[in-house]
Structure formats: structure tokens, C-alpha cells
């Protein structure tokens, strides 16, 4: 559970740094820039290269794609009926449509289900959450930032995004083994992602903005922490052959918003205060809701 302790410490440091007045207003931009151009590409280059792809991992890998597509359909429909602005809709898709299936997800899986669940969790995170964010997620975020459906500038924007370039390179390099020193360097750089991201979110988080986002925040977190676990339960209840796989999939679906997708929403100016609230409120809230979800699953089945 040391990861969860680190999460709380880094988030608290961000809050403290903001109130100390010793850091400039541009702190979040600098931290986010390092995350998106160094930390995240390093993780991609390591994990996608090392991931073993087999037919047995199809079910956990599909779950995050289902969550993303349902979130996109729901929040874009609210925008179409003029209930929320387009940038707010995309902000909610990036936060409520992607779960924190690794940094928060892995320690919670180990605590609730045991280490044997981590294999399914890694597949859901790498082939599901991360790939869904890397392609449709980033395309949608770039579209909202650019405000245009023109193919060429949108394509250039997406391909020019460092994590996407790292993903393409990682697949191209899968046939070539990494030297040991390269693995160590990539892992060490990747380890900076979550601490820096949580400091950044804590620095940006301003609970005084809660009043202006209260209804939207409730909508987003209600969708992510309540509706999605119920939906995934009913989809997977009859088709998952393994009990451990089933519980892992539903538990991963009930995780708080993803750190990386939240940082992307903030970096692209897609209602950044709402994005910070979704993560800052969602993570501590999810510690309790995931436990409730697991006990409901076991009570029903």
C-alpha cells in the first residue's frame, strides 16, 4: 500500500506548494510538460515493448474501451442537447471515461484480490486504458483544443504528441530486445509520472471553484464510480469464464479517474479546474467505493 501513501503525500505537497506562494503560477505547465514529453513516453516504451500479447487477455483488454465509448456517447449526447459545453464534455470523457487502472488500481487489486489478479490488471491497463487514451482519447482532446474537424492539422497534432510517437516506436521495437541499462533508465523516468502528476493536480486544485462545478462534478463521479461498475458487471457476468478475472475487471472499472488523461485535459485547457476536481475528489472517494463494489459483487454472486 506504499503507492497509496505516496499518492496522498504528493497530492498534499501540491496543495502545500500552492499555498506557500514559493512556486510560480506556471508550475503546473512545467510539470505537465515534463510528464507528457518524458515520463509518459518512457513508460510506453518500456511496457508496450515488454507486454506479452495472447488471445486469453481479450476480455480485460476490451473493458476500458467499452467504458470510453459509453462515456463518449453519454457526454457528447449531453453536449448535443446543450446541457454542457463541448470542452466540458471532452473533459468528462477524459476523466470519467478512463480509470486509474495502474497506480491506484494495482495496489487496490493486490489488497482486495491478491497478487494473482495483477496479471489481468496489467492487461486492462496497457492494452485497454492506455491504448484507448493514446488513439481515440488524444484525437478527441486535440479536436476539442483545436476546435476543427480538418483532417490534416488534426493528424499532425496527434502524431506530433510525444506519447503517441513513443507508442508507435514501442511497437516497431518489439522484435528487438532492450539492453538492461535502457530498461532501468525507462523505468526510472517512468516512475516520475504519478508523483509529478499528483503534485500538479494538487497545485491546481482550488476547492473554491467547487461551487461552480458541483453539479458537473457529481455527474462525472456518479458516472465513473457508480454507473460504470454496474454496467461492466452486467456485461461481463455471463461471459467471463474465470472468477478472478471477473472480479478484477469489475474492480478496475470502478477505479477513480486516470491521472494521465486528467493531465491531458488540463494541458489542453479543457475545463482544467473540473479535471482537477474529478481527480482530486475522485481518488480518495474511490477507496471506499471500490470496497463497496467488491462486497456487492460477492454478495450478489
Amino acid at each position: 500500500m506504499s503507492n497509496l501513501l505516496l499518492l496522498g503525500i504528493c497530492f498534499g505537497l501540491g496543495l502545500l506548494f500552492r499555498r506557500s506562494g514559493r512556486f510560480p503560477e506556471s508550475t503546473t505547465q512545467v510539470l505537465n510538460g515534463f510528464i507528457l514529453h518524458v515520463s509518459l513516453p518512457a513508460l510506453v516504451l518500456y511496457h508496450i515493448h515488454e507486454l506479452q500479447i495472447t488471445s486469453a487477455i481479450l476480455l480485460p483488454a476490451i473493458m476500458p474501451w467499452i467504458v470510453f465509448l459509453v462515456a463518449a456517447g453519454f457526454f457528447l449526447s449531453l453536449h448535443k442537447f446543450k446541457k454542457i459545453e463541448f470542452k466540458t464534455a471532452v473533459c468528462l470523457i477524459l476523466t470519467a471515461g478512463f480509470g486509474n487502472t495502474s497506480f491506484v488500481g494495482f495496489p487496490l487489486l493486490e489488497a482486495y484480490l491478491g497478487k494473482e489478479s495483477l496479471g489481468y490488471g496489467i492487461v486492462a491497463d496497457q492494452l485497454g486504458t492506455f491504448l484507448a487514451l493514446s488513439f481515440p482519447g488524444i484525437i478527441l482532446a486535440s479536436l476539442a483544443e483545436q476546435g476543427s474537424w480538418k483532417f490534416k492539422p488534426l493528424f499532425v497534432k496527434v502524431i506530433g504528441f510525444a506519447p503517441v510517437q513513443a507508442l508507435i516506436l514501442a511497437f516497431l521495437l518489439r522484435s528487438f530486445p532492450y539492453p538492461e541499462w535502457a530498461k532501468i533508465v525507462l523505468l526510472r523516468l517512468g516512475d516520475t509520472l504519478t508523483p509529478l502528476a499528483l503534485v500538479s493536480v494538487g497545485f491546481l486544485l482550488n476547492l473554491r471553484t467547487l461551487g461552480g462545478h458541483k453539479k458537473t462534478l457529481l455527474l462525472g463521479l456518479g458516472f465513473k464510480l457508480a454507473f460504470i461498475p454496474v454496467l461492466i458487471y452486467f456485461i461481463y457476468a455471463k461471459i467471463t469464464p474465470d472468477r478472478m478475472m471477473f472480479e478484477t475487471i469489475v474492480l478496475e472499472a470502478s477505479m477513480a479517474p486516470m491521472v494521465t488523461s486528467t493531465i491531458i485535459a488540463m494541458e489542453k485547457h479543457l475545463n482544467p479546474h473540473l479535471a482537477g476536481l474529478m481527480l482530486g475528489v475522485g481518488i480518495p472517494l474511490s477507496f471506499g467505493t471500490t470496497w463497496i463494489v467488491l462486497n456487492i459483487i460477492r454478495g450478489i454472486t
Side-chain angles (χ1 to χ4, degrees):
M1 300 297 282
S2 59
N3 279 353
L4 299 181
L5 179 62
L6 178 63
L7 185 152
I9 291 172
C10 291
F11 184 72
L13 285 174
L15 295 171
L16 181 64
F17 293 162
R18 175 74 179 210
R19 282 149 185 75
S20 71
R22 298 180 181 181
F23 289 77
E25 289 295 321
S26 60
T27 295
T28 56
Q29 284 84 0
V30 174
L31 292 176
N32 294 350
F34 186 90
I35 290 164
L36 296 178
H37 290 89
V38 179
S39 307
L40 182 55
L43 279 181
V44 175
L45 285 169
Y46 179 82
H47 286 292
I48 295 300
H49 182 273
E50 299 295 310
L51 187 65
Q52 299 298 315
I53 301 176
T54 66
S55 58
I57 63 177
L58 188 61
L59 289 175
I62 288 175
M63 179 274 290
W65 289 86
I66 295 172
V67 174
F68 169 75
L69 291 173
V70 171
F74 178 67
F75 292 116
L76 289 177
S77 295
L78 290 181
H79 164 66
K80 182 179 180 180
F81 290 108
K82 304 186 186 307
K83 299 297 183 181
I84 55 177
E85 296 180 352
F86 182 56
K87 287 191 174 183
T88 298
V90 177
C91 173
L92 289 172
I93 294 169
L94 290 174
T95 51
F98 293 101
N100 201 320
T101 49
S102 57
F103 192 76
V104 174
F106 294 165
L108 285 182
L109 285 180
E110 186 173 355
Y112 292 155
L113 302 179
K115 288 186 178 181
E116 58 269 29
S117 67
L118 292 179
Y120 297 129
I122 290 170
V123 170
D125 180 68
Q126 294 298 309
L127 291 184
T129 303
F130 184 76
L131 287 186
L133 175 63
S134 297
F135 289 110
I138 289 175
I139 289 171
L140 189 59
S142 300
L143 174 64
E145 180 190 34
Q146 186 174 294
S148 171
W149 289 91
K150 294 180 180 179
F151 175 77
K152 186 176 180 179
L154 184 61
F155 178 80
V156 170
K157 193 84 174 179
V158 172
I159 293 299
F161 196 55
V164 174
Q165 294 173 342
L167 183 65
I168 295 170
L169 182 59
F171 275 113
L172 292 175
L173 293 175
R174 279 182 61 84
S175 301
F176 306 95
Y178 285 164
E180 199 61 34
W181 65 263
K183 293 181 181 181
I184 294 172
V185 169
L186 290 174
L187 280 175
R188 293 295 179 269
L189 288 173
D191 285 345
T192 64
L193 187 148
T194 299
L196 291 182
L198 289 167
V199 170
S200 176
V201 170
F203 190 89
L204 179 72
L205 185 64
N206 184 355
L207 292 178
R208 286 176 293 183
T209 66
L210 182 62
H213 297 295
K214 194 177 295 183
K215 290 183 179 179
T216 315
L217 179 65
L218 182 62
L219 173 69
L221 290 180
F223 178 91
K224 182 69 191 75
L225 302 179
F227 173 73
I228 284 299
V230 172
L231 176 68
I232 294 301
Y233 173 86
F234 283 109
I235 290 175
Y236 278 86
K238 300 297 183 181
I239 64 173
T240 312
D242 181 81
R243 178 70 188 184
M244 178 62 70
M245 180 190 290
F246 173 66
E247 290 188 352
T248 301
I249 289 171
V250 177
L251 205 60
E252 283 282 60
S254 67
M255 294 299 167
M258 184 185 187
V259 171
T260 307
S261 61
T262 302
I263 291 297
I264 290 173
M266 293 163 58
E267 183 70 9
K268 292 188 177 294
H269 309 290
L270 306 177
N271 207 331
H273 287 292
L274 174 61
L277 287 167
M278 284 288 290
L279 187 65
V281 176
I283 286 179
L285 191 60
S286 71
F287 295 160
T289 57
T290 50
W291 183 84
I292 293 171
V293 166
L294 180 62
N295 280 275
I296 290 175
I297 293 171
R298 289 177 171 175
I300 293 175
T301 57

